[in-house]
């Protein structure tokens, strides 16, 4: 069974059609990379999948649990709030600019949602958070506040915060775009380490080499459509579409 | 009248000023938050009624937000008219409007009601500016983690808002210390009213000097308290 299915998603902001019928499926343990030029709708797609935006039409389900389906009138019909609340537990999202809670220490950023959303015991939550922080090389930062950390460290904390909730699928929206180039490596390394544990992930990124290395499947989006999809070898190695080729040329190291 | 008696009399008045001050903050800080919610309310009950049509008239009806309009009016009245006048309306209003006799103890109650209503309007705008300055990413992170709306507001947003607005709150607090003297408008015997009474009966300006010193000391203490409060929130940025 697929962890996530997005079927024929359409979304407009006013008269601007941002998603024009997008279908994406994510299998268990799969790493999916979404690439494409700025403004192609990648973030909007993730925001629809994570319930931060509503779709105009189309269907979304996590493990067969429907977020939204097409009603008899052709309009999107969202499941009742109680269902959505349950479905939120299936996914986590790592933001471009981290969005850590600045008034909470690192450890509290991680444990607070465990305790107050998942209703776990305090000791259990702290133990789990400590273990995850240690794994990410952040054990000595547990009592720091976000402003005391580098961007790379903040992003690693936000990954720990999302992981601690044990999501079925973890979304990343350009996780390294807000970082200085010398800090992107440490974050990419952490994400790569998650693939070893068969974490299901959907990663929007402009790091083409990274996408090529870690992804099982690549979607190339442009102007609200999936223009091309396939394995990294297919999409990066022998792109079929002119638009894909032009986009990749701009990112390839040999380009002028 | 000796200086000592003057000081004792004024100290009694000062206690009453402090009572006004404390009760005003106790009432207006929470009320201001409620008012801010009303001010930001997007509730538009006519939206549903007018979904069927799309004429220009119906369109404009659909956008009407009654709670927001009401609260805006309240805030503009409270900020646009003198507090002294508002105190008089609260004190005399019930009698003139509804012929309700004014009881002995109502004077103090009227002072506190007037101050709370007035300060809540100012605090509401301060809260609103703070809430609206919060980056949307904080709400989104909380939503994705599964926090409920009340949890998001009280655990994630409000603590950060309080830090942001504390300097503005300090301003209001210091103004309030001095504003308590406006209770003289309805002859409530707080410190300034007392000073006026003693001064005119003894023909001396000493009570005003003493009262001035008391107000100043009161404010020094409040400035210190607020500074400590700001420091206590400096552990994060
Ligand atoms: N809330 C919004 N209101 C109006 N327009 C929006 C909104 N969010 C996004 N858009 C528009 O939708 C289009 C797609 O935006 P989106 O952020 O999804 O692109 P993206 O592929 O993530 O781009 P980037 O690589 O720059 O992050 C853009 O033209 C953007 O201006
Ligand atoms: Mg984006």
């Amino acid at each position: 069974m697929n962890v996530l299915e997005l079927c024929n998603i359409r979304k407009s902001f006013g008269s601007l059609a941002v998603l024009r019928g997008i279908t994406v499926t994510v299998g268990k343990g799969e790493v999916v990379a979404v690439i494409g030029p700025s403004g192609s709708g990648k973030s909007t797609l993730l925001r629809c999948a994570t319930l931060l935006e509503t779709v105009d039409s189309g269907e979304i389900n996590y493990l067969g649990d429907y977020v939204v389906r097409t009603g008899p009138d052709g309009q999107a019909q969202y499941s009742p709030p109680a269902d959505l609340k349950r479905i939120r537990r299936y996914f986590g999202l790592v933001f471009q600019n981290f969005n850590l809670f600045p008034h909470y220490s690192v450890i509290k950023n991680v444990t607070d949602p465990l305790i107050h959303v998942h209703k776990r015991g305090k000791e259990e939550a702290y133990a789990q958070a400590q273990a995850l922080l240690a794994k990410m090389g952040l054990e000595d930062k547990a009592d720091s506040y976000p402003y005391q950390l580098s961007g790379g460290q903040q992003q690693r904390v936000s990954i720990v915060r999302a992981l601690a909730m044990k999501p079925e699928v973890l979304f990343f929206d350009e996780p390294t775009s807000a970082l200085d180039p010398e800090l992107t490596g440490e974050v990419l390394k952490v994400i790569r380490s998650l693939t070893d544990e068969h974490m299901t992930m959907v990663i929007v990124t402009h790091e083409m080499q990274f996408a090529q290395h870690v992804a099982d499947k690549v979607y190339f989006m442009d102007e609200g459509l999936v223009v091309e999809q396939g394995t990294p070898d297919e999409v990066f190695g022998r792109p079929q579409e002119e638009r894909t080729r032009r986009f990749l040329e701009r990112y390839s190291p040999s380009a002028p | 009248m000796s200086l000592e008696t003057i000081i004792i009399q004024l100290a009694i008045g000062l206690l009453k000023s402090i009572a006004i001050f404390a009760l005003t903050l106790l009432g207006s800080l929470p009320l201001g938050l409620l008012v801010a919610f009303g001010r930001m309310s997007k509730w538009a009950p006519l939206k549903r009624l007018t979904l069927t049509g799309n004429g220009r008239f119906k369109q404009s009806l659909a956008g009407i937000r009654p709670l927001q309009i009401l609260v805006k009016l309240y805030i503009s009245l409270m900020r646009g008219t003198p507090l002294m006048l508002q105190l008089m309306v609260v004190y005399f209003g019930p009698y003139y409007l509804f012929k309700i006799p004014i009881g002995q103890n109502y004077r103090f109650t009227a002072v506190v009601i007037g101050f709370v209503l007035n300060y809540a309007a100012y605090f509401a705008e301060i809260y609103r500016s703070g809430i609206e300055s919060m980056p949307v990413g904080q709400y989104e992170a909380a939503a994705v983690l599964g926090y409920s709306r009340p949890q998001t507001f009280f655990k994630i947003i409000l603590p950060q808002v309080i830090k942001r607005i504390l300097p503005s709150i300090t301003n209001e607090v210091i103004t309030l210390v001095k504003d308590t003297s406006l209770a003289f408008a309805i002859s409530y015997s707080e410190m300034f009213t007392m000073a006026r009474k003693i001064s005119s009966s003894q023909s001396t300006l000493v009570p005003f000097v003493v009262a001035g010193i008391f107000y100043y000391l009161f404010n020094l203490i409040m400035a210190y308290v607020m500074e400590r409060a700001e420091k206590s929130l400096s552990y994060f940025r």
Side-chain angles (χ1 to χ4, degrees):
Chain A
M1 182 183 270
N2 287 320
V3 174
L4 166 65
E5 294 178 344
L6 298 160
C7 286
N8 204 15
I9 301 296
R10 289 173 191 276
K11 169 78 183 172
S12 297
F13 291 110
S15 60
L16 179 70
V18 174
L19 301 178
R20 301 189 291 150
I22 297 241
T23 298
V24 170
T25 56
V26 183
K28 191 150 184 59
E30 248 179 359
V31 178
V32 170
V34 180
I35 59 172
S38 186
S40 55
K42 307 179 297 295
S43 295
T44 306
L45 184 67
L46 285 204
R47 293 171 58 79
C48 288
T50 53
L51 303 177
L52 293 176
E53 294 281 1
T54 53
V55 303
D56 297 336
S57 68
E59 304 202 325
I60 302 175
N61 75 75
Y62 286 90
L63 295 161
D65 219 344
Y66 273 87
V67 171
V68 55
R69 47 173 106 218
T70 311
D73 55 353
Q75 294 285 309
Q77 241 175 29
Y78 272 84
S79 299
D83 290 0
L84 297 182
K85 193 176 164 193
R86 170 168 41 82
I87 291 170
R88 272 181 212 282
R89 297 202 174 198
Y90 290 131
F91 59 79
L93 171 61
V94 173
F95 296 84
Q96 184 174 342
N97 50 358
F98 335 131
N99 289 332
L100 291 175
F101 302 133
H103 59 306
Y104 284 172
S105 64
V106 164
I107 189 93
K108 192 156 185 212
N109 263 280
V110 180
T111 54
D112 196 76
L114 285 176
I115 295 167
H116 291 103
V117 177
H118 282 194
K119 311 289 180 203
R120 300 269 186 72
K122 259 193 182 157
E123 280 177 23
E124 184 197 344
Y126 273 83
Q128 194 200 337
Q130 290 285 11
L132 272 172
L133 287 172
K135 221 173 84 186
M136 303 288 173
L138 292 162
E139 61 270 50
D140 54 334
K141 299 292 178 196
D143 296 320
S144 302
Y145 283 83
Y147 80 93
Q148 297 167 316
L149 305 183
S150 73
Q153 290 168 333
Q154 290 189 48
Q155 190 60 300
R156 282 186 281 152
V157 172
S158 91
I159 293 172
V160 168
R161 180 174 70 173
L163 278 177
M165 306 292 274
K166 300 217 165 80
E168 294 291 334
V169 49
L170 193 48
F171 295 96
F172 294 82
D173 191 358
E174 300 195 29
T176 59
S177 292
L179 300 178
D180 294 334
E182 68 267 26
L183 297 179
T184 59
E186 63 182 65
V187 171
L188 295 183
K189 207 175 101 194
V190 161
I191 300 173
R192 192 172 293 142
S193 77
L194 297 178
T195 63
D196 301 336
E197 296 163 28
H198 308 290
M199 183 76 210
T200 311
M201 295 187 278
V202 178
I203 308 170
V204 170
T205 182
H206 287 293
E207 301 280 340
M208 294 306 147
Q209 285 200 329
F210 176 72
Q212 192 164 1
H213 279 114
V214 303
D216 300 306
K217 228 161 47 182
V218 178
Y219 287 82
F220 170 67
M221 280 177 66
D222 194 12
E223 295 181 349
L225 291 169
V226 173
V227 174
E228 190 156 354
Q229 68 187 79
T231 64
D233 283 348
E234 288 165 351
V235 175
F236 291 104
R238 27 179 206 286
Q240 302 299 306
E241 299 290 328
E242 177 59 27
R243 271 195 278 180
T244 318
R245 277 198 287 272
R246 256 185 287 138
F247 173 76
L248 290 175
E249 264 166 27
R250 262 186 286 146
Y251 279 92
S252 74
S254 61
Chain B
M1 195 184 268
S2 73
L3 179 61
E4 203 186 317
T5 340
I6 292 177
I7 290 177
I8 290 172
Q9 295 261 338
L10 289 180
I12 294 169
L14 177 61
L15 286 180
K16 295 181 176 174
S17 301
I18 292 174
I20 298 173
F21 172 85
L23 289 176
T24 300
L25 287 185
L26 220 62
S28 61
L29 282 170
L31 180 63
L33 189 56
L34 280 180
V35 174
F37 285 144
R39 172 68 181 75
M40 293 182 293
S41 150
K42 294 194 169 68
W43 182 58
L46 295 176
K47 211 171 187 171
R48 222 170 277 164
L49 290 177
T50 50
L51 265 184
T52 45
N54 50 9
R56 187 161 284 176
F57 176 64
K58 281 188 166 179
Q59 287 278 311
S60 58
L61 271 185
I64 290 179
R65 298 166 175 175
L67 188 56
Q68 185 183 99
I69 293 172
L70 223 67
V71 170
K72 264 184 171 168
L73 180 70
Y74 158 72
I75 291 175
S76 95
L77 279 176
M78 287 296 145
R79 301 206 302 175
T81 60
L83 176 51
M84 212 189 291
L85 189 67
Q86 292 164 19
L87 291 176
M88 290 169 74
V89 169
V90 174
Y91 184 56
F92 297 113
Y95 178 74
Y96 280 106
L97 293 175
F98 309 110
K99 295 282 174 247
I100 300 169
I102 298 174
Q104 265 309 306
N105 297 324
Y106 183 56
R107 210 183 288 273
F108 179 66
T109 312
V111 169
V112 173
I113 292 175
F115 270 92
V116 167
L117 288 178
N118 180 277
Y119 270 76
Y122 284 93
F123 285 138
E125 287 298 271
I126 293 174
Y127 281 123
R128 181 170 72 94
S129 71
I131 291 169
E132 288 180 349
S133 76
M134 283 297 294
V136 64
Q138 291 289 306
Y139 290 95
E140 294 184 342
V144 170
L145 288 166
Y147 285 100
S148 67
R149 282 177 57 134
Q151 277 179 328
T152 302
F153 185 76
F154 289 104
K155 291 178 68 77
I156 309 297
I157 303 298
L158 191 58
Q160 299 183 56
V161 166
I162 288 174
K163 181 184 171 78
R164 283 171 191 227
I165 64 177
L166 217 48
S168 314
I169 299 279
T170 301
N171 275 337
E172 293 303 320
V173 165
I174 285 177
T175 308
L176 175 58
V177 168
K178 296 173 284 178
D179 270 0
T180 54
S181 63
L182 291 174
F184 89 88
I186 54 176
S187 307
Y188 177 67
S189 54
E190 45 64 62
M191 182 162 59
F192 189 69
T193 312
M194 293 298 288
R196 271 177 24 127
K197 258 189 207 149
I198 302 169
S199 171
S200 61
S201 69
Q202 310 282 318
S203 14
T204 163
L205 289 177
V206 172
F208 286 121
V209 175
V210 175
I213 293 169
F214 276 153
Y215 280 120
Y216 184 68
L217 291 178
F218 189 178
N219 252 333
L220 273 188
I221 293 168
M222 285 326 296
Y224 175 73
V225 168
M226 295 306 289
E227 201 184 306
R228 288 296 298 265
E230 280 178 41
K231 276 229 180 79
S232 77
L233 288 178
S234 66
Y235 65 90
F236 71 91
R237 272 182 212 159

